Amino acid sequence: SAQDSTWDAWQSRTGELPPNFDRMPSIPFLPDPLVWNEGEQSLPITTMAQWHSQRDWMKEKVRELFAGTFPDPPKNLSSSILEEHLEHEVRVQRIELRFGTHPDAKLNLEVFTPPGKGPFPVFVTQWNHRGWAQIAVRRGYIGVIYAGADEYDDTILYQEVYPGYDWTALMTRAWGASRAVDYLYTLPEVDKAKIALTGHSRNGKLSLLAGAFDPRFTAIISSSGGTGG
């Protein structure tokens, strides 16, 4: 985080302790998301109301133990086109999003829009998966790549933009993906019911986090999310 370079430093600063493992139920395999209070009462979830309660509980635990806290969506997002050209009838745009007056409150996008009226489904991924987005465009999707990956990351600076939150680098990248959706929702050529997010390895993890906290992503493809994914 912006305050701490290691977990030990965070623990020393905050005084936080891990859970009392002796009091936790023993679950030898992956938890069942459709069982409430698993390992103790183990009640099956059979209604949508029960599922919504379970989902809220899981989101809170992910925020507490894994993602950290993070800000609400900004209400002052603006966009500007930095560059625009055609590649074989595909419109390619470099977009800069800004939210607020802090110089680092920004996100760079590259948006590929196929020819036609739309509305088009959207395939969102990170800067180092540019080739994946181009494949999606050939299949009729709008392709969007955003600067939230190792090679190009605007989002890591959000920890300094919003110092009151205790979020991890994975969560800043996930939050950045949602800002891309903020922009997509302003475009009439976007099919808002069909916005997919993907990523590989670390980006696979952040894609899962973004999907967990932003219901506007209607499909998540997590490639090799590994530990934590």
Side-chain angles (χ1 to χ4, degrees), residues 61-68 168 170-171 205 209 227-229:
K61 288 301 178 184
V62 169
R63 187 182 287 110
E64 176 187 353
L65 300 171
F66 188 68
T168 64
L170 283 177
M171 194 61 226
K205 294 181 179 66
L209 284 173
T227 302

Side-chain angles (χ1 to χ4, degrees), residues 100-166:
T101 58
H102 194 290
D104 294 325
K106 64 180 181 178
L107 182 68
N108 278 274
L109 311 175
E110 190 171 17
V111 180
F112 305 83
T113 305
K117 292 183 178 180
F120 302 102
V122 185
F123 183 96
V124 183
T125 190
Q126 300 78 33
W127 212 269
N128 51 333
H129 302 316
R130 192 174 190 269
W132 292 3
Q134 291 172 318
I135 292 171
V137 173
R138 293 198 291 270
R139 296 177 179 177
Y141 287 74
I142 290 176
V144 177
I145 57 177
Y146 74 98
D150 290 352
E151 294 182 9
Y152 186 11
D153 189 7
D154 287 336
T155 72
I156 191 62
L157 298 175
Y158 299 167
Q159 295 178 342
E160 299 176 11
V161 177
Y162 300 98
Y165 298 91
D166 209 13

Side-chain angles (χ1 to χ4, degrees), residues 123-125 132 141 196-200 203-205 207-208 219-224:
F123 183 96
V124 183
T125 190
W132 292 3
Y141 287 74
L197 175 66
T198 189
H200 175 75
N203 299 332
K205 294 181 179 66
S207 298
L208 288 169
I220 297 295
I221 310 163
S222 176
S223 168
S224 298

